[in-house]
């Protein structure tokens, strides 16, 4: 029971008025605001702040390593180090945590730009977009779009676990009208940001249509 705890998911505007306890065999289970599960830091507001903070800390440590490695290794080898030690962290479950407010993610692209300038011996004033393009590296935002596109492709190719069967609904399943958008994904429009961050909404938003 020492490693067992529980969490109540809530928003800042909607907090539970009444506190409660959970016990198993008369042993009280600790309530936490954040926990680590399969490498993800999950907080009770699903803001992913802690996870983003941890990722930023990890990849920022690579700036010193890159500054030394670039003098003795080829750019291709340095890029391999980047993909292994940085990009790996940025892509792990990022379909979930990267669908977020840009202000929460801003530390990550800042570190990415710094790393690319170091890798290419560029000045700190060098524009980053050409560096991303020349090295064929995606920033955190483009990477998120790419991975969502891969997810959508896997979904319609039936290469995902059974849990995702019928995860998306097509317009033709909602109505029988023979329109050009009949094979498009049906979207239940969301007013709040958390709804717009969902995979169902973002998958449709990118305009991916499958016949």
């Amino acid at each position: 029971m020492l490693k067992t705890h529980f969490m109540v998911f809530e928003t800042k505007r909607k907090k539970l008025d009444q506190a409660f306890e959970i016990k198993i065999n008369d042993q009280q289970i600790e309530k936490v605001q954040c926990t680590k599960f399969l490498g993800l830091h999950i907080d009770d507001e699903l803001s992913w702040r802690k996870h983003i903070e941890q990722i930023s800390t990890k990849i920022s440590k690579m700036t010193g390593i890159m500054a030394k490695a670039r003098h003795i290794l080829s750019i291709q080898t340095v890029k391999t180090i980047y993909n292994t030690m940085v990009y790996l962290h940025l892509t792990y479950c990022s379909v979930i945590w990267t669908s977020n407010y840009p202000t929460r993610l801003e530390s990550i692209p800042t570190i990415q730009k710094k790393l690319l300038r170091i890798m290419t011996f560029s000045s700190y004033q060098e524009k980053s977009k050409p560096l991303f393009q020349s090295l064929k590296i995606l920033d955190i935002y483009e990477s998120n779009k790419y991975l969502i596109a891969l997810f959508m492709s896997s979904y319609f190719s039936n290469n995902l676990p059974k849990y995702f069967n019928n995860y998306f609904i097509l317009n033709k399943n909602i109505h029988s009208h023979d329109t050009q958008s009949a094979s498009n994904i049906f979207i239940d429009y969301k007013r709040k940001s958390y709804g717009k961050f969902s995979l169902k909404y973002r998958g449709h938003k990118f305009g991916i249509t499958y016949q």
Side-chain angles (χ1 to χ4, degrees):
M1 293 296 180
L2 295 177
K3 295 184 179 180
T4 303
H5 45 252
F6 77 97
M7 182 185 301
V8 177
F9 293 99
E10 52 192 357
T11 65
K12 289 183 177 180
R13 297 182 180 181
K14 294 183 180 180
K15 296 286 186 180
L16 290 179
D17 296 330
Q18 185 176 1
F20 61 92
E21 297 179 350
I22 295 179
K23 291 184 178 181
I24 299 178
N25 295 330
D26 292 326
Q27 185 171 347
Q28 185 169 330
I29 306 302
E30 180 189 8
K31 179 185 177 182
V32 297
Q33 293 181 317
C34 185
T35 187
K36 187 177 182 180
F37 181 71
L38 297 178
L40 283 176
H41 291 84
I42 306 172
D43 62 87
D44 58 1
E45 295 180 2
L46 293 179
S47 68
W48 305 106
R49 287 189 181 91
K50 180 67 174 179
H51 188 74
I52 294 170
E53 178 184 326
Q54 292 294 316
I55 294 297
S56 298
T57 300
K58 285 182 179 180
I59 66 174
S60 65
K61 294 178 181 178
M62 291 302 300
T63 55
I65 296 175
M66 289 296 192
K68 296 178 180 179
R70 64 178 179 171
H71 292 286
I72 57 177
L73 301 175
S74 68
I75 185 61
Q76 289 302 322
T77 304
V78 172
K79 182 180 174 181
T80 299
I81 295 175
Y82 174 92
N83 289 333
T84 304
M85 305 301 294
V86 178
Y87 194 66
L88 185 65
H89 292 298
L90 300 184
T91 55
Y92 180 69
C93 293
S94 67
V95 168
I96 300 173
W97 60 268
T98 312
S99 298
N100 213 320
Y101 293 105
T103 51
R104 291 180 184 168
L105 295 169
E106 59 186 3
S107 62
I108 292 179
T110 298
I111 299 170
Q112 278 189 288
K113 294 173 184 178
K114 184 176 181 179
L115 283 168
L116 264 61
R117 292 186 180 110
I118 291 174
M119 291 163 60
T120 57
F121 291 88
S122 301
S123 71
Y124 71 94
Q125 295 178 326
E126 187 80 21
K127 292 184 178 180
S128 61
K129 187 175 181 179
L131 299 180
F132 279 105
Q133 293 174 340
S134 64
L135 293 174
K136 296 181 180 180
I137 290 176
L138 298 176
D139 65 30
I140 190 68
Y141 306 111
E142 294 301 316
S143 175
N144 178 245
K145 295 178 183 179
Y146 171 69
L147 292 173
I148 290 178
L150 286 182
F151 177 90
M152 300 295 288
S153 176
S154 296
Y155 173 83
F156 284 98
S157 299
N158 297 316
N159 291 326
L160 293 177
K162 292 183 179 180
Y163 172 83
F164 291 101
N165 290 352
N166 302 317
Y167 187 70
F168 294 96
I169 303 174
L170 303 183
N171 285 331
K172 62 184 178 182
N173 300 131
I174 302 297
H175 60 74
S176 58
H177 306 301
D178 186 16
T179 62
Q180 291 183 344
S181 62
S183 295
N184 288 8
I185 301 169
F186 172 76
I187 179 65
D188 183 12
Y189 287 97
K190 307 294 183 181
R191 291 183 299 173
K192 296 184 178 180
S193 295
Y194 279 104
K196 294 179 180 179
F197 291 153
S198 69
L199 188 55
K200 286 185 177 180
Y201 186 89
R202 288 177 66 81
H204 171 274
K205 184 180 179 182
F206 293 134
I208 303 171
T209 304
Y210 297 87
Q211 303 296 332

